Amino acid sequence: MDRKPDEATEAAWIGLSRAQRVATASIEARLKAAGLPPLSWYDALWELERAGDAGLRPFELERALLFEQYNLSRLADRLEKAGLVERRAVEADRRGQMIAITPAGRDLRRRMWAVYAPAIQAAVGDRLSAGEAATLAALLKKLV
Amino acid sequence: MDRKPDEATEAAWIGLSRAQRVATASIEARLKAAGLPPLSWYDALWELERAGDAGLRPFELERALLFEQYNLSRLADRLEKAGLVERRAVEADRRGQMIAITPAGRDLRRRMWAVYAPAIQAAVGDRLSAGEAATLAALLKKLV
DNA sequence: TGAAAATAAATGCAGATGCATTGAATGTCA
DNA sequence: TGACATTCAATGCATCTGCATTTATTTTCA
């Protein structure tokens, strides 16, 4: 490894940056226009909702979201302050905690999805055929 | 428009976020490890180098980089303070200015590329065939 | 012409992020 | 066992970003 990228690789990298920036900006703009919090809140709430009532350990959520440890710690602070999650002590490991979504968290996640879903459709779905979207998803998966 | 995304669309969107995050993190980490500034500096310096000695108007650079106006203004401050660019008054429009790269800026851009290029190769090139990279680039272009 | 609108760029302030470190608890193993 | 290393999570500080507003200039058009 560690040579220079060829043209296609460079184009793919630049495209990745720009496409992500454009799509994210348009989706975030819709959320903001609807008076809703940013995507990172959605991602966290969704992981927690899928995790069920027991919740997740911060380090699990951190890995699921590809967040830095300190960023997750602070996101959890904000979510907790907003009443969307609660932190619970975990008896098996007194260093740790569980973060669990609250009913208010579930409700907000649902309301965010009502805006987020059409925003994804506008930013991605409307610009690709079904086959193209599937191909794109498969190729992007190889980068993770 | 404005319905719900189908599965492939959603997978493409999630893949876009995650792939971009993973690739960017690994590339930024290499730059940092080499004691070099972040990607945004590279992008700006490269645009300015391509623009030639006359430089670019801030609003031109802003559009080329998909930067917010205030972010570009501050990035320019930092680049200027580091001696990598210079701001020049423009006689035709006294509201405006030209931002031009300096020799030190060119030199830094070159040194950054020496790290950036292999980082792109590792994060993208090594994970895709040439054909896949080309396909990915083409699909991502449709999103911008 | 000259008042109102538009454009270029900077900035004050609040909030978010990155970095390094800390505090607390748990794990390891001679 | 008990010293040392590791893991979990929080935090102080500096930097960066987002938002709204400001200053200066140019454009528009009645």
Side-chain angles (χ1 to χ4, degrees):
Chain A
M1 80 205 95
D2 273 18
R3 316 162 302 294
K4 304 234 154 164
D6 59 28
E7 282 210 13
T9 295
E10 201 179 323
W13 161 243
I14 293 173
L16 182 61
S17 292
R18 298 180 78 87
Q20 189 272 348
R21 240 180 292 189
V22 168
T24 299
S26 85
I27 291 170
E28 291 276 20
R30 288 198 187 205
L31 288 171
K32 187 168 318 175
L36 293 168
L39 271 181
S40 55
W41 288 37
Y42 183 89
D43 293 340
L45 292 174
W46 180 229
E47 284 297 330
L48 292 171
E49 190 164 335
R50 291 199 304 155
D53 290 334
L56 291 174
R57 297 288 297 263
F59 69 87
E60 294 175 309
L61 192 50
E62 175 190 327
R63 283 162 200 170
L65 299 176
L66 305 178
F67 256 57
E68 298 293 328
Q69 182 268 320
Y70 48 83
N71 280 335
L72 182 71
S73 173
R74 280 155 172 161
L75 176 58
D77 287 347
R78 286 173 234 135
L79 294 174
E80 185 180 36
K81 186 171 304 184
L84 304 171
V85 306
E86 56 179 30
R87 283 164 152 144
R88 300 184 195 129
V90 37
E91 68 301 331
D93 184 345
R94 265 179 302 183
R95 293 168 303 185
Q97 63 189 238
M98 300 298 293
I99 302 180
I101 194 167
T102 64
R106 267 184 263 273
D107 181 61
L108 177 63
R109 194 208 58 80
R110 206 176 318 110
R111 286 187 290 118
M112 289 184 79
W113 180 244
V115 173
Y116 188 16
I120 295 171
Q121 181 59 26
V124 179
D126 289 349
R127 295 163 191 273
L128 300 174
S129 72
E132 287 171 336
T135 302
L136 178 57
L139 291 172
L140 290 170
K141 200 162 201 175
K142 301 187 118 181
L143 298 183
V144 179
Chain B
M1 79 207 92
D2 273 18
R3 313 164 302 295
K4 304 234 152 166
D6 59 28
E7 281 210 15
T9 296
E10 199 178 325
W13 161 242
I14 292 173
L16 182 61
S17 291
R18 298 181 78 88
Q20 189 271 348
R21 242 181 289 191
V22 168
T24 299
S26 86
I27 292 170
E28 291 275 20
R30 288 197 186 205
L31 288 170
K32 188 168 317 175
L36 293 168
L39 271 181
S40 56
W41 288 37
Y42 182 90
D43 292 340
L45 292 173
W46 179 229
E47 285 296 330
L48 291 169
E49 189 164 336
R50 291 199 303 155
D53 292 332
L56 290 173
R57 297 289 298 262
F59 70 87
E60 295 175 309
L61 193 50
E62 175 191 326
R63 282 162 201 173
L65 300 176
L66 304 178
F67 255 59
E68 299 291 330
Q69 183 267 321
Y70 49 82
N71 281 335
L72 182 70
S73 172
R74 281 157 172 158
L75 175 59
D77 287 346
R78 288 173 233 137
L79 295 174
E80 185 180 36
K81 186 171 302 183
L84 304 171
V85 306
E86 56 179 30
R87 282 164 153 144
R88 299 184 195 129
V90 37
E91 68 300 331
D93 184 344
R94 266 179 301 183
R95 292 169 303 184
Q97 63 189 238
M98 300 298 293
I99 303 181
I101 194 168
T102 64
R106 268 185 263 271
D107 181 61
L108 176 63
R109 194 209 56 82
R110 205 176 319 109
R111 287 186 290 119
M112 288 183 79
W113 181 243
V115 173
Y116 188 15
I120 295 171
Q121 181 59 25
V124 180
D126 289 348
R127 296 163 190 271
L128 299 174
S129 72
E132 287 172 334
T135 301
L136 177 57
L139 290 173
L140 290 169
K141 201 163 200 175
K142 301 187 118 184
L143 298 184
V144 179

